[in-house]
Amino acid sequence: MELLIFLIAVVMIGGLIVLPALRRRRGGRETLRGAMRATDPGEYGFVPREQLDVRLPGPDHQLIEALEEVQAHQDWQPASRLLALTEATSELRWQRVQTLAGAAAYELAQAPGRGGMWLRTWRVAAPEDPGAAAVQAEFLVRQALLDPSSQDFRMILEEARDVCHEAARLAPDDPVPYIVELGVARGLPYRQADFEELWTKVTDRAPHHMGAHLAALHYWCEKWHGSQDRADAFTHAAAGSAPDKSLLPALPLFGVFEHLPEVNLVRSLYQSDVVTKAVEGALYAVRQAPADHPVLPHVRHLLVWFLVRSERYADAMEQLRHVDGHVGAVPWSYGADPAAEYAVYRALAVAGWEGRGGSPATLPK
């Protein structure tokens, strides 16, 4: 399968070999012929790679309209109005803050010193706007975590913490400033007691917030300040106490992903009990969650990654049918070219689907 992925990457992206998102590898039985055919996404109604939207995991037309107006005119007011009209405790507000901050960070990376000026103007022009403070805090966390080895890492995170506290003062019932601070806690780092105190502030406001749990999971992971056992305990406790129609039963799958080996030598890893149970939990969550849940696309994208590696191509195609067109989610966002990496997995899913007798005509609508 590694050779197949290499060849697909060469064919699909003009010689760019996509390795970051493929760092956890396994064998497979897909055919090169099927994979080559899958490079034409139009047969399945899929969006061409060059048109995939890397900003969001799924559609949010109001946000896209506001963001395009902000970027076209460097005017912060559409973003301010949108956040003001977004319910404070909703997962949609968290996702919109994330996207706006990510857009500003991307602009700055493209034009150092000038990009994302609208965010700085917003903070100066509307210092009492809680949305501006939340977006700036998230922006600062992202800037710091780009390079944890930087000598400015701690200074940037301390500034982000101050802005989180300012955002919380401006909107006391809004969980988003505290969720953003979870990223600060991961980087500084907070002592476990301090982190748990912060987590209580989050859960007091939004006890079953999927985005908050995803943010908190990193702290408990082995690569930061916890271990696989602690991360498992956190994800399974959340899944076990989830209310009806919650996405929290999918949380263990994210925990499994964060602790996969960098090099996998076990052919059956993705058919193991641990992975299978986590995948089934995520599929259960997806099936019973509201169709418009803002975090639902995040779960679907990670399911695509696992289902392809588990050779469950019909299930992978079902998830692709719902999320295709947007790729701003883990695992694709971990790589240098999210659209290309997503397209490789999409090609593998189609190749596997066709290799087992599927076709565009037999794909369930």
Side-chain angles (χ1 to χ4, degrees), residues 282-325:
L283 286 171
Y284 166 79
V286 162
R287 290 170 186 142
Q288 57 119 26
D292 61 350
H293 194 301
V295 188
L296 182 56
H298 286 278
V299 180
R300 291 192 187 278
H301 279 289
L302 190 61
L303 273 169
V304 169
W305 193 91
F306 273 99
L307 291 168
V308 167
R309 286 174 175 261
S310 301
E311 300 176 14
R312 295 174 59 172
Y313 303 115
D315 290 333
M317 293 294 285
E318 170 66 13
Q319 302 310 313
L320 286 167
R321 193 169 62 83
H322 288 283
V323 300
D324 191 69

mmCIF file of all heavy atoms in Angstrom, residues 282-325:
data_model
loop_
_atom_site.group_PDB
_atom_site.id
_atom_site.type_symbol
_atom_site.label_atom_id
_atom_site.label_comp_id
_atom_site.label_asym_id
_atom_site.label_seq_id
_atom_site.Cartn_x
_atom_site.Cartn_y
_atom_site.Cartn_z
ATOM 1 N N ALA A 282 -17.451 6.036 17.120
ATOM 2 C CA ALA A 282 -17.562 7.246 16.307
ATOM 3 C C ALA A 282 -18.701 7.126 15.302
ATOM 4 O O ALA A 282 -19.442 8.084 15.071
ATOM 5 C CB ALA A 282 -16.239 7.514 15.596
ATOM 6 N N LEU A 283 -18.864 5.950 14.695
ATOM 7 C CA LEU A 283 -19.968 5.758 13.755
ATOM 8 C C LEU A 283 -21.314 5.878 14.460
ATOM 9 O O LEU A 283 -22.268 6.465 13.924
ATOM 10 C CB LEU A 283 -19.849 4.387 13.081
ATOM 11 C CG LEU A 283 -18.748 4.259 12.030
ATOM 12 C CD1 LEU A 283 -18.580 2.803 11.608
ATOM 13 C CD2 LEU A 283 -19.052 5.125 10.812
ATOM 14 N N TYR A 284 -21.391 5.358 15.663
ATOM 15 C CA TYR A 284 -22.618 5.505 16.454
ATOM 16 C C TYR A 284 -22.911 6.981 16.712
ATOM 17 O O TYR A 284 -24.051 7.442 16.544
ATOM 18 C CB TYR A 284 -22.472 4.751 17.776
ATOM 19 C CG TYR A 284 -23.532 5.102 18.790
ATOM 20 C CD1 TYR A 284 -24.815 4.557 18.699
ATOM 21 C CD2 TYR A 284 -23.262 5.986 19.830
ATOM 22 C CE1 TYR A 284 -25.796 4.883 19.629
ATOM 23 C CE2 TYR A 284 -24.239 6.327 20.759
ATOM 24 C CZ TYR A 284 -25.502 5.765 20.657
ATOM 25 O OH TYR A 284 -26.469 6.103 21.566
ATOM 26 N N ALA A 285 -21.888 7.731 17.108
ATOM 27 C CA ALA A 285 -22.064 9.156 17.390
ATOM 28 C C ALA A 285 -22.532 9.902 16.145
ATOM 29 O O ALA A 285 -23.422 10.760 16.209
ATOM 30 C CB ALA A 285 -20.759 9.753 17.909
ATOM 31 N N VAL A 286 -21.924 9.572 15.007
ATOM 32 C CA VAL A 286 -22.271 10.237 13.746
ATOM 33 C C VAL A 286 -23.726 9.969 13.366
ATOM 34 O O VAL A 286 -24.447 10.866 12.916
ATOM 35 C CB VAL A 286 -21.317 9.761 12.634
ATOM 36 C CG1 VAL A 286 -21.869 10.061 11.251
ATOM 37 C CG2 VAL A 286 -19.949 10.416 12.798
ATOM 38 N N ARG A 287 -24.161 8.740 13.576
ATOM 39 C CA ARG A 287 -25.520 8.365 13.168
ATOM 40 C C ARG A 287 -26.586 9.015 14.038
ATOM 41 O O ARG A 287 -27.699 9.264 13.568
ATOM 42 C CB ARG A 287 -25.659 6.848 13.207
ATOM 43 C CG ARG A 287 -24.865 6.146 12.104
ATOM 44 C CD ARG A 287 -24.835 4.649 12.309
ATOM 45 N NE ARG A 287 -23.958 3.996 11.338
ATOM 46 C CZ ARG A 287 -23.180 2.957 11.618
ATOM 47 N NH1 ARG A 287 -23.164 2.446 12.846
ATOM 48 N NH2 ARG A 287 -22.414 2.420 10.673
ATOM 49 N N GLN A 288 -26.274 9.281 15.317
ATOM 50 C CA GLN A 288 -27.319 9.795 16.191
ATOM 51 C C GLN A 288 -27.201 11.282 16.472
ATOM 52 O O GLN A 288 -28.109 11.879 17.028
ATOM 53 C CB GLN A 288 -27.302 9.019 17.517
ATOM 54 C CG GLN A 288 -25.969 9.053 18.248
ATOM 55 C CD GLN A 288 -26.077 9.701 19.613
ATOM 56 O OE1 GLN A 288 -27.137 9.694 20.208
ATOM 57 N NE2 GLN A 288 -24.985 10.272 20.087
ATOM 58 N N ALA A 289 -26.115 11.914 16.037
ATOM 59 C CA ALA A 289 -25.957 13.355 16.246
ATOM 60 C C ALA A 289 -26.818 14.135 15.254
ATOM 61 O O ALA A 289 -27.099 13.655 14.155
ATOM 62 C CB ALA A 289 -24.493 13.754 16.090
ATOM 63 N N PRO A 290 -27.213 15.344 15.610
ATOM 64 C CA PRO A 290 -27.958 16.181 14.659
ATOM 65 C C PRO A 290 -27.144 16.411 13.387
ATOM 66 O O PRO A 290 -25.926 16.598 13.437
ATOM 67 C CB PRO A 290 -28.158 17.490 15.427
ATOM 68 C CG PRO A 290 -28.045 17.115 16.870
ATOM 69 C CD PRO A 290 -27.054 15.993 16.926
ATOM 70 N N ALA A 291 -27.813 16.409 12.262
ATOM 71 C CA ALA A 291 -27.119 16.537 10.974
ATOM 72 C C ALA A 291 -26.376 17.852 10.848
ATOM 73 O O ALA A 291 -25.406 17.957 10.089
ATOM 74 C CB ALA A 291 -28.119 16.380 9.826
ATOM 75 N N ASP A 292 -26.822 18.876 11.581
ATOM 76 C CA ASP A 292 -26.182 20.193 11.478
ATOM 77 C C ASP A 292 -25.225 20.475 12.638
ATOM 78 O O ASP A 292 -24.836 21.624 12.852
ATOM 79 C CB ASP A 292 -27.245 21.293 11.409
ATOM 80 C CG ASP A 292 -28.138 21.335 12.653
ATOM 81 O OD1 ASP A 292 -28.063 20.391 13.484
ATOM 82 O OD2 ASP A 292 -28.915 22.297 12.799
ATOM 83 N N HIS A 293 -24.820 19.447 13.367
ATOM 84 C CA HIS A 293 -23.864 19.655 14.462
ATOM 85 C C HIS A 293 -22.563 20.215 13.886
ATOM 86 O O HIS A 293 -21.971 19.616 12.984
ATOM 87 C CB HIS A 293 -23.597 18.336 15.182
ATOM 88 C CG HIS A 293 -22.913 18.493 16.506
ATOM 89 N ND1 HIS A 293 -21.676 19.092 16.654
ATOM 90 C CD2 HIS A 293 -23.301 18.148 17.764
ATOM 91 C CE1 HIS A 293 -21.323 19.084 17.926
ATOM 92 N NE2 HIS A 293 -22.297 18.524 18.620
ATOM 93 N N PRO A 294 -22.092 21.353 14.377
ATOM 94 C CA PRO A 294 -20.913 21.997 13.773
ATOM 95 C C PRO A 294 -19.644 21.150 13.812
ATOM 96 O O PRO A 294 -18.758 21.335 12.979
ATOM 97 C CB PRO A 294 -20.734 23.274 14.611
ATOM 98 C CG PRO A 294 -22.060 23.516 15.237
ATOM 99 C CD PRO A 294 -22.656 22.166 15.466
ATOM 100 N N VAL A 295 -19.530 20.228 14.779
ATOM 101 C CA VAL A 295 -18.307 19.436 14.910
ATOM 102 C C VAL A 295 -18.438 18.083 14.209
ATOM 103 O O VAL A 295 -17.466 17.347 14.099
ATOM 104 C CB VAL A 295 -17.921 19.275 16.394
ATOM 105 C CG1 VAL A 295 -16.555 18.620 16.560
ATOM 106 C CG2 VAL A 295 -17.889 20.643 17.090
ATOM 107 N N LEU A 296 -19.617 17.774 13.715
ATOM 108 C CA LEU A 296 -19.825 16.493 13.040
ATOM 109 C C LEU A 296 -18.837 16.263 11.890
ATOM 110 O O LEU A 296 -18.284 15.161 11.772
ATOM 111 C CB LEU A 296 -21.268 16.412 12.539
ATOM 112 C CG LEU A 296 -21.696 15.129 11.835
ATOM 113 C CD1 LEU A 296 -21.451 13.906 12.703
ATOM 114 C CD2 LEU A 296 -23.174 15.223 11.444
ATOM 115 N N PRO A 297 -18.551 17.269 11.045
ATOM 116 C CA PRO A 297 -17.571 17.025 9.971
ATOM 117 C C PRO A 297 -16.188 16.635 10.489
ATOM 118 O O PRO A 297 -15.480 15.859 9.830
ATOM 119 C CB PRO A 297 -17.534 18.360 9.218
ATOM 120 C CG PRO A 297 -18.868 18.978 9.471
ATOM 121 C CD PRO A 297 -19.197 18.592 10.885
ATOM 122 N N HIS A 298 -15.782 17.149 11.653
ATOM 123 C CA HIS A 298 -14.486 16.759 12.221
ATOM 124 C C HIS A 298 -14.434 15.249 12.424
ATOM 125 O O HIS A 298 -13.430 14.595 12.128
ATOM 126 C CB HIS A 298 -14.260 17.464 13.557
ATOM 127 C CG HIS A 298 -13.922 18.911 13.448
ATOM 128 N ND1 HIS A 298 -12.642 19.364 13.180
ATOM 129 C CD2 HIS A 298 -14.686 20.020 13.593
ATOM 130 C CE1 HIS A 298 -12.643 20.695 13.156
ATOM 131 N NE2 HIS A 298 -13.866 21.105 13.398
ATOM 132 N N VAL A 299 -15.515 14.699 12.965
ATOM 133 C CA VAL A 299 -15.559 13.258 13.226
ATOM 134 C C VAL A 299 -15.568 12.488 11.910
ATOM 135 O O VAL A 299 -14.871 11.479 11.764
ATOM 136 C CB VAL A 299 -16.795 12.909 14.073
ATOM 137 C CG1 VAL A 299 -16.840 11.401 14.344
ATOM 138 C CG2 VAL A 299 -16.791 13.681 15.394
ATOM 139 N N ARG A 300 -16.327 12.946 10.962
ATOM 140 C CA ARG A 300 -16.393 12.249 9.667
ATOM 141 C C ARG A 300 -15.033 12.202 8.972
ATOM 142 O O ARG A 300 -14.663 11.184 8.383
ATOM 143 C CB ARG A 300 -17.425 12.929 8.766
ATOM 144 C CG ARG A 300 -18.881 12.771 9.224
ATOM 145 C CD ARG A 300 -19.817 13.226 8.124
ATOM 146 N NE ARG A 300 -21.211 13.273 8.505
ATOM 147 C CZ ARG A 300 -22.036 12.225 8.527
ATOM 148 N NH1 ARG A 300 -21.564 11.027 8.216
ATOM 149 N NH2 ARG A 300 -23.308 12.370 8.865
ATOM 150 N N HIS A 301 -14.287 13.301 9.042
ATOM 151 C CA HIS A 301 -12.971 13.323 8.390
ATOM 152 C C HIS A 301 -12.024 12.301 9.025
ATOM 153 O O HIS A 301 -11.303 11.582 8.311
ATOM 154 C CB HIS A 301 -12.362 14.719 8.475
ATOM 155 C CG HIS A 301 -12.877 15.670 7.448
ATOM 156 N ND1 HIS A 301 -12.553 15.569 6.108
ATOM 157 C CD2 HIS A 301 -13.703 16.750 7.553
ATOM 158 C CE1 HIS A 301 -13.150 16.537 5.430
ATOM 159 N NE2 HIS A 301 -13.851 17.267 6.281
ATOM 160 N N LEU A 302 -12.015 12.234 10.349
ATOM 161 C CA LEU A 302 -11.131 11.259 10.990
ATOM 162 C C LEU A 302 -11.602 9.839 10.691
ATOM 163 O O LEU A 302 -10.776 8.929 10.525
ATOM 164 C CB LEU A 302 -11.059 11.497 12.496
ATOM 165 C CG LEU A 302 -9.981 10.695 13.228
ATOM 166 C CD1 LEU A 302 -8.583 11.041 12.708
ATOM 167 C CD2 LEU A 302 -10.046 10.933 14.740
ATOM 168 N N LEU A 303 -12.907 9.645 10.609
ATOM 169 C CA LEU A 303 -13.423 8.323 10.239
ATOM 170 C C LEU A 303 -12.944 7.916 8.851
ATOM 171 O O LEU A 303 -12.590 6.744 8.621
ATOM 172 C CB LEU A 303 -14.943 8.328 10.286
ATOM 173 C CG LEU A 303 -15.577 8.013 11.637
ATOM 174 C CD1 LEU A 303 -17.061 8.308 11.617
ATOM 175 C CD2 LEU A 303 -15.320 6.558 12.035
ATOM 176 N N VAL A 304 -12.918 8.835 7.900
ATOM 177 C CA VAL A 304 -12.419 8.510 6.558
ATOM 178 C C VAL A 304 -11.014 7.921 6.661
ATOM 179 O O VAL A 304 -10.700 6.886 6.047
ATOM 180 C CB VAL A 304 -12.424 9.751 5.648
ATOM 181 C CG1 VAL A 304 -11.656 9.476 4.358
ATOM 182 C CG2 VAL A 304 -13.850 10.188 5.331
ATOM 183 N N TRP A 305 -10.169 8.582 7.432
ATOM 184 C CA TRP A 305 -8.774 8.150 7.583
ATOM 185 C C TRP A 305 -8.693 6.716 8.124
ATOM 186 O O TRP A 305 -7.983 5.863 7.585
ATOM 187 C CB TRP A 305 -8.059 9.124 8.512
ATOM 188 C CG TRP A 305 -6.576 9.034 8.553
ATOM 189 C CD1 TRP A 305 -5.674 9.722 7.785
ATOM 190 C CD2 TRP A 305 -5.785 8.224 9.452
ATOM 191 N NE1 TRP A 305 -4.386 9.396 8.146
ATOM 192 C CE2 TRP A 305 -4.423 8.486 9.159
ATOM 193 C CE3 TRP A 305 -6.100 7.331 10.460
ATOM 194 C CZ2 TRP A 305 -3.392 7.866 9.848
ATOM 195 C CZ3 TRP A 305 -5.062 6.698 11.159
ATOM 196 C CH2 TRP A 305 -3.724 6.972 10.842
ATOM 197 N N PHE A 306 -9.455 6.461 9.198
ATOM 198 C CA PHE A 306 -9.416 5.124 9.812
ATOM 199 C C PHE A 306 -10.111 4.082 8.948
ATOM 200 O O PHE A 306 -9.635 2.935 8.845
ATOM 201 C CB PHE A 306 -10.074 5.169 11.196
ATOM 202 C CG PHE A 306 -9.131 5.550 12.296
ATOM 203 C CD1 PHE A 306 -9.094 6.835 12.781
ATOM 204 C CD2 PHE A 306 -8.275 4.606 12.869
ATOM 205 C CE1 PHE A 306 -8.223 7.197 13.807
ATOM 206 C CE2 PHE A 306 -7.406 4.941 13.892
ATOM 207 C CZ PHE A 306 -7.369 6.249 14.365
ATOM 208 N N LEU A 307 -11.229 4.425 8.340
ATOM 209 C CA LEU A 307 -11.973 3.447 7.555
ATOM 210 C C LEU A 307 -11.202 3.011 6.322
ATOM 211 O O LEU A 307 -11.251 1.832 5.939
ATOM 212 C CB LEU A 307 -13.334 4.026 7.170
ATOM 213 C CG LEU A 307 -14.314 4.207 8.337
ATOM 214 C CD1 LEU A 307 -15.507 5.053 7.909
ATOM 215 C CD2 LEU A 307 -14.778 2.849 8.874
ATOM 216 N N VAL A 308 -10.482 3.928 5.690
ATOM 217 C CA VAL A 308 -9.647 3.544 4.552
ATOM 218 C C VAL A 308 -8.562 2.593 5.011
ATOM 219 O O VAL A 308 -8.311 1.555 4.377
ATOM 220 C CB VAL A 308 -9.049 4.788 3.871
ATOM 221 C CG1 VAL A 308 -7.935 4.395 2.892
ATOM 222 C CG2 VAL A 308 -10.129 5.566 3.135
ATOM 223 N N ARG A 309 -7.913 2.910 6.121
ATOM 224 C CA ARG A 309 -6.844 2.040 6.612
ATOM 225 C C ARG A 309 -7.377 0.701 7.120
ATOM 226 O O ARG A 309 -6.646 -0.299 7.131
ATOM 227 C CB ARG A 309 -6.057 2.763 7.702
ATOM 228 C CG ARG A 309 -5.156 3.852 7.124
ATOM 229 C CD ARG A 309 -4.483 4.681 8.203
ATOM 230 N NE ARG A 309 -3.550 5.627 7.580
ATOM 231 C CZ ARG A 309 -2.236 5.433 7.485
ATOM 232 N NH1 ARG A 309 -1.695 4.330 7.957
ATOM 233 N NH2 ARG A 309 -1.469 6.330 6.907
ATOM 234 N N SER A 310 -8.637 0.688 7.536
ATOM 235 C CA SER A 310 -9.260 -0.567 7.972
ATOM 236 C C SER A 310 -9.847 -1.350 6.799
ATOM 237 O O SER A 310 -10.428 -2.423 6.995
ATOM 238 C CB SER A 310 -10.383 -0.271 8.972
ATOM 239 O OG SER A 310 -9.902 0.416 10.105
ATOM 240 N N GLU A 311 -9.737 -0.795 5.587
ATOM 241 C CA GLU A 311 -10.251 -1.404 4.364
ATOM 242 C C GLU A 311 -11.774 -1.544 4.404
ATOM 243 O O GLU A 311 -12.355 -2.431 3.772
ATOM 244 C CB GLU A 311 -9.573 -2.751 4.090
ATOM 245 C CG GLU A 311 -8.066 -2.607 3.916
ATOM 246 C CD GLU A 311 -7.350 -3.935 3.733
ATOM 247 O OE1 GLU A 311 -8.029 -4.955 3.473
ATOM 248 O OE2 GLU A 311 -6.116 -3.960 3.863
ATOM 249 N N ARG A 312 -12.424 -0.604 5.093
ATOM 250 C CA ARG A 312 -13.891 -0.557 5.150
ATOM 251 C C ARG A 312 -14.344 0.527 4.166
ATOM 252 O O ARG A 312 -14.775 1.614 4.540
ATOM 253 C CB ARG A 312 -14.358 -0.280 6.581
ATOM 254 C CG ARG A 312 -13.994 -1.397 7.540
ATOM 255 C CD ARG A 312 -14.328 -1.069 8.984
ATOM 256 N NE ARG A 312 -15.741 -0.787 9.203
ATOM 257 C CZ ARG A 312 -16.297 -0.624 10.398
ATOM 258 N NH1 ARG A 312 -15.547 -0.743 11.497
ATOM 259 N NH2 ARG A 312 -17.583 -0.359 10.520
ATOM 260 N N TYR A 313 -14.243 0.206 2.904
ATOM 261 C CA TYR A 313 -14.379 1.228 1.870
ATOM 262 C C TYR A 313 -15.812 1.736 1.710
ATOM 263 O O TYR A 313 -16.020 2.915 1.423
ATOM 264 C CB TYR A 313 -13.845 0.688 0.544
ATOM 265 C CG TYR A 313 -12.408 0.233 0.651
ATOM 266 C CD1 TYR A 313 -12.063 -1.106 0.489
ATOM 267 C CD2 TYR A 313 -11.402 1.148 0.949
ATOM 268 C CE1 TYR A 313 -10.742 -1.516 0.616
ATOM 269 C CE2 TYR A 313 -10.081 0.741 1.069
ATOM 270 C CZ TYR A 313 -9.760 -0.593 0.902
ATOM 271 O OH TYR A 313 -8.465 -1.003 1.033
ATOM 272 N N ALA A 314 -16.789 0.880 1.888
ATOM 273 C CA ALA A 314 -18.176 1.337 1.785
ATOM 274 C C ALA A 314 -18.476 2.370 2.860
ATOM 275 O O ALA A 314 -19.108 3.396 2.592
ATOM 276 C CB ALA A 314 -19.128 0.150 1.890
ATOM 277 N N ASP A 315 -18.020 2.102 4.079
ATOM 278 C CA ASP A 315 -18.224 3.062 5.165
ATOM 279 C C ASP A 315 -17.455 4.354 4.905
ATOM 280 O O ASP A 315 -17.938 5.450 5.209
ATOM 281 C CB ASP A 315 -17.780 2.449 6.503
ATOM 282 C CG ASP A 315 -18.707 1.346 6.972
ATOM 283 O OD1 ASP A 315 -19.894 1.378 6.607
ATOM 284 O OD2 ASP A 315 -18.239 0.461 7.711
ATOM 285 N N ALA A 316 -16.253 4.229 4.357
ATOM 286 C CA ALA A 316 -15.464 5.427 4.043
ATOM 287 C C ALA A 316 -16.162 6.273 2.985
ATOM 288 O O ALA A 316 -16.211 7.508 3.089
ATOM 289 C CB ALA A 316 -14.071 5.026 3.560
ATOM 290 N N MET A 317 -16.733 5.624 1.976
ATOM 291 C CA MET A 317 -17.434 6.360 0.929
ATOM 292 C C MET A 317 -18.647 7.089 1.500
ATOM 293 O O MET A 317 -18.981 8.199 1.059
ATOM 294 C CB MET A 317 -17.862 5.404 -0.186
ATOM 295 C CG MET A 317 -16.702 4.805 -0.970
ATOM 296 S SD MET A 317 -15.774 6.035 -1.938
ATOM 297 C CE MET A 317 -16.918 6.302 -3.287
ATOM 298 N N GLU A 318 -19.315 6.490 2.463
ATOM 299 C CA GLU A 318 -20.459 7.144 3.099
ATOM 300 C C GLU A 318 -20.029 8.434 3.789
ATOM 301 O O GLU A 318 -20.692 9.469 3.687
ATOM 302 C CB GLU A 318 -21.107 6.191 4.106
ATOM 303 C CG GLU A 318 -22.148 6.810 5.009
ATOM 304 C CD GLU A 318 -23.405 7.282 4.271
ATOM 305 O OE1 GLU A 318 -23.584 6.918 3.090
ATOM 306 O OE2 GLU A 318 -24.193 8.016 4.880
ATOM 307 N N GLN A 319 -18.908 8.405 4.484
ATOM 308 C CA GLN A 319 -18.418 9.613 5.161
ATOM 309 C C GLN A 319 -17.966 10.657 4.129
ATOM 310 O O GLN A 319 -18.232 11.851 4.285
ATOM 311 C CB GLN A 319 -17.267 9.271 6.110
ATOM 312 C CG GLN A 319 -17.619 8.245 7.175
ATOM 313 C CD GLN A 319 -18.895 8.575 7.919
ATOM 314 O OE1 GLN A 319 -19.101 9.714 8.352
ATOM 315 N NE2 GLN A 319 -19.762 7.588 8.081
ATOM 316 N N LEU A 320 -17.297 10.222 3.089
ATOM 317 C CA LEU A 320 -16.855 11.150 2.044
ATOM 318 C C LEU A 320 -18.039 11.859 1.393
ATOM 319 O O LEU A 320 -17.957 13.047 1.049
ATOM 320 C CB LEU A 320 -16.062 10.389 0.977
ATOM 321 C CG LEU A 320 -14.651 9.959 1.356
ATOM 322 C CD1 LEU A 320 -14.115 8.954 0.349
ATOM 323 C CD2 LEU A 320 -13.726 11.165 1.452
ATOM 324 N N ARG A 321 -19.113 11.146 1.232
ATOM 325 C CA ARG A 321 -20.300 11.728 0.599
ATOM 326 C C ARG A 321 -20.809 12.937 1.392
ATOM 327 O O ARG A 321 -21.352 13.878 0.828
ATOM 328 C CB ARG A 321 -21.389 10.652 0.513
ATOM 329 C CG ARG A 321 -22.550 10.990 -0.372
ATOM 330 C CD ARG A 321 -23.414 9.762 -0.587
ATOM 331 N NE ARG A 321 -23.971 9.270 0.666
ATOM 332 C CZ ARG A 321 -25.083 9.768 1.237
ATOM 333 N NH1 ARG A 321 -25.705 10.786 0.679
ATOM 334 N NH2 ARG A 321 -25.542 9.245 2.348
ATOM 335 N N HIS A 322 -20.583 12.917 2.706
ATOM 336 C CA HIS A 322 -21.067 14.004 3.564
ATOM 337 C C HIS A 322 -20.079 15.165 3.686
ATOM 338 O O HIS A 322 -20.493 16.306 3.879
ATOM 339 C CB HIS A 322 -21.374 13.467 4.963
ATOM 340 C CG HIS A 322 -22.601 12.615 5.025
ATOM 341 N ND1 HIS A 322 -23.879 13.123 5.012
ATOM 342 C CD2 HIS A 322 -22.744 11.262 5.096
ATOM 343 C CE1 HIS A 322 -24.757 12.145 5.078
ATOM 344 N NE2 HIS A 322 -24.098 11.000 5.125
ATOM 345 N N VAL A 323 -18.780 14.892 3.627
ATOM 346 C CA VAL A 323 -17.796 15.943 3.922
ATOM 347 C C VAL A 323 -17.055 16.475 2.702
ATOM 348 O O VAL A 323 -16.368 17.493 2.801
ATOM 349 C CB VAL A 323 -16.743 15.466 4.953
ATOM 350 C CG1 VAL A 323 -17.400 15.087 6.257
ATOM 351 C CG2 VAL A 323 -15.906 14.312 4.400
ATOM 352 N N ASP A 324 -17.174 15.807 1.567
ATOM 353 C CA ASP A 324 -16.364 16.206 0.427
ATOM 354 C C ASP A 324 -16.605 17.667 0.058
ATOM 355 O O ASP A 324 -17.743 18.147 0.053
ATOM 356 C CB ASP A 324 -16.675 15.331 -0.784
ATOM 357 C CG ASP A 324 -15.667 15.538 -1.900
ATOM 358 O OD1 ASP A 324 -14.506 15.135 -1.730
ATOM 359 O OD2 ASP A 324 -16.041 16.135 -2.923
ATOM 360 N N GLY A 325 -15.504 18.349 -0.235
ATOM 361 C CA GLY A 325 -15.548 19.768 -0.561
ATOM 362 C C GLY A 325 -14.833 20.622 0.463
ATOM 363 O O GLY A 325 -14.362 21.717 0.156
#
